[in-house]
């Protein structure tokens, strides 16, 4: 099943802003929106934002999600060392009747 | 608090079978869709199946359709994944996750399935 497209890696400096992108199509991101997950090495993923761009309780305001057409974005402001992780987007695909994930973006904080 | 604990991962030979379980607590299990998501070593996340709150609707990724079966026991707050005809490319950490609004908001720690001879 076709997945969502994310850049494999992004590098930004401490306290800078990183914007991660996730591109799908009209059957998934464009129609359903996308959720964002953070995964640190050796740990399970953690939800940062649901498909309506809402943050779960306890998630820092430094993480904000948005969508324009078939592309979803996650913006992380004031980058901290602990933000270094893999980030995944996910959406329901109505045509495939399947949950699809992006390949993940490895964020490096320099 | 919400807790999901997977079990049942093991080393199994190609063509073999395995049953994974996920024990849920800290929320009303019978109100939620549940999912299984796997992650092969060094790779990304792959959705493989989900099941509605009553256990009457099950959906599968093409990669496991016909080989894996998802089920749940709402009386015991448990989710299961029956895996048959296992292949080397099924080797992964298998996560149980709670599903809300097309997102998975709580995840277990995962259980490792290794398919090798």
């Amino acid at each position: 099943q076709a997945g969502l497209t994310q850049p494999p890696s992004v590098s930004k400096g401490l306290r800078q802003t990183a914007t991660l992108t996730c591109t799908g199509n009209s059957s998934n991101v464009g129609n359903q929106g996308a959720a964002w997950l953070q995964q640190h090495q050796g740990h399970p993923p953690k939800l940062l934002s649901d498909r309506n761009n809402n943050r779960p309780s306890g998630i820092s305001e430094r993480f904000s999600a948005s969508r324009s057409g078939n592309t979803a974005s996650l913006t992380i402001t004031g980058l901290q060392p602990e933000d270094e992780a893999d980030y995944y987007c996910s959406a329901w695909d109505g045509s495939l009747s399947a949950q699809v994930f992006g390949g993940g973006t490895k964020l490096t904080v320099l | 608090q919400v807790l999901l604990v997977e079990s049942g991962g093991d080393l199994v030979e190609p063509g073999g079978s395995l049953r994974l379980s996920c024990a849920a607590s800290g929320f009303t299990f019978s109100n939620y869709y549940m999912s299984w998501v796997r992650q092969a070593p060094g790779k990304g996340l792959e959705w493989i199946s989900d099941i509605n709150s009553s256990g009457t609707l099950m959906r599968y990724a093409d990669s496991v359709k016909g080989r894996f079966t998802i089920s749940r026991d709402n009386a015991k707050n448990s989710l299961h994944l029956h895996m048959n005809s296992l292949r080397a490319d099924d080797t992964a950490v298998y996560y149980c996750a709670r599903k809300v609004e097309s997102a998975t908001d709580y995840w277990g720690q995962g259980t490792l399935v290794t398919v090798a001879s």
Side-chain angles (χ1 to χ4, degrees):
Chain A
Q1 271 136 338
L4 309 175
T5 301
Q6 297 182 252
S9 62
V10 168
S11 297
K12 287 288 184 180
L14 196 62
R15 293 183 293 278
Q16 288 189 331
T17 295
T19 298
L20 312 182
T21 59
C22 168
T23 303
N25 58 42
S26 59
S27 296
N28 44 60
V29 175
N31 183 255
Q32 300 281 338
W36 287 91
L37 300 143
Q38 177 192 60
Q39 186 179 33
H40 287 104
Q41 183 71 27
H43 292 271
K46 178 171 71 174
L47 182 67
L48 296 178
S49 175
D50 66 17
R51 69 184 182 101
N52 296 313
N53 303 327
N54 298 315
R55 282 187 307 274
S57 173
I59 300 300
S60 171
E61 293 178 351
R62 296 189 298 106
F63 295 91
S64 63
S66 61
R67 177 171 66 97
S68 177
N70 296 334
T71 298
S73 299
L74 178 71
T75 299
I76 312 169
T77 59
L79 283 168
Q80 299 297 310
E82 61 266 28
D83 297 332
E84 192 161 286
D86 294 321
Y87 291 82
Y88 295 92
C89 59
S90 172
W92 180 257
D93 191 302
S95 292
L96 299 175
S97 288
Q99 191 84 21
V100 289
F101 284 93
T105 295
K106 182 175 184 61
L107 174 65
T108 300
V109 180
L110 303 171
Chain B
Q1 78 281 19
V2 173
L3 196 58
L4 299 169
V5 180
E6 302 93 339
S7 61
D10 205 348
L11 170 64
V12 61
E13 291 188 346
S17 299
L18 208 56
R19 181 182 187 249
L20 305 183
S21 296
C22 171
S25 60
F27 65 103
T28 305
F29 180 72
S30 58
N31 286 352
Y32 290 85
Y33 274 64
M34 297 295 295
S35 296
W36 286 100
V37 178
R38 69 184 180 185
Q39 187 168 34
K43 302 296 185 183
L45 302 172
E46 180 190 11
W47 171 83
I48 56 174
S49 183
D50 65 21
I51 187 168
N52 70 347
S53 56
S54 61
T56 57
L57 173 66
M58 291 79 79
R59 298 176 291 201
Y60 300 93
D62 288 344
S63 58
V64 305
K65 202 172 292 183
R67 299 188 301 123
F68 291 11
T69 302
I70 191 172
S71 63
R72 65 190 297 160
D73 184 338
N74 285 344
K76 295 183 178 179
N77 292 341
S78 60
L79 178 72
H80 304 285
L81 186 68
H82 301 256
M83 305 186 294
N84 295 321
S85 303
L86 283 161
R87 311 185 300 223
D89 62 358
D90 293 318
T91 294
V93 173
Y94 285 72
Y95 293 104
C96 156
R98 191 177 81 167
K99 193 170 177 179
V100 291
E101 283 288 324
S102 297
T104 42
D105 64 345
Y106 285 95
W107 296 62
Q109 290 296 313
T111 187
L112 177 63
V113 173
T114 303
V115 184
S117 51

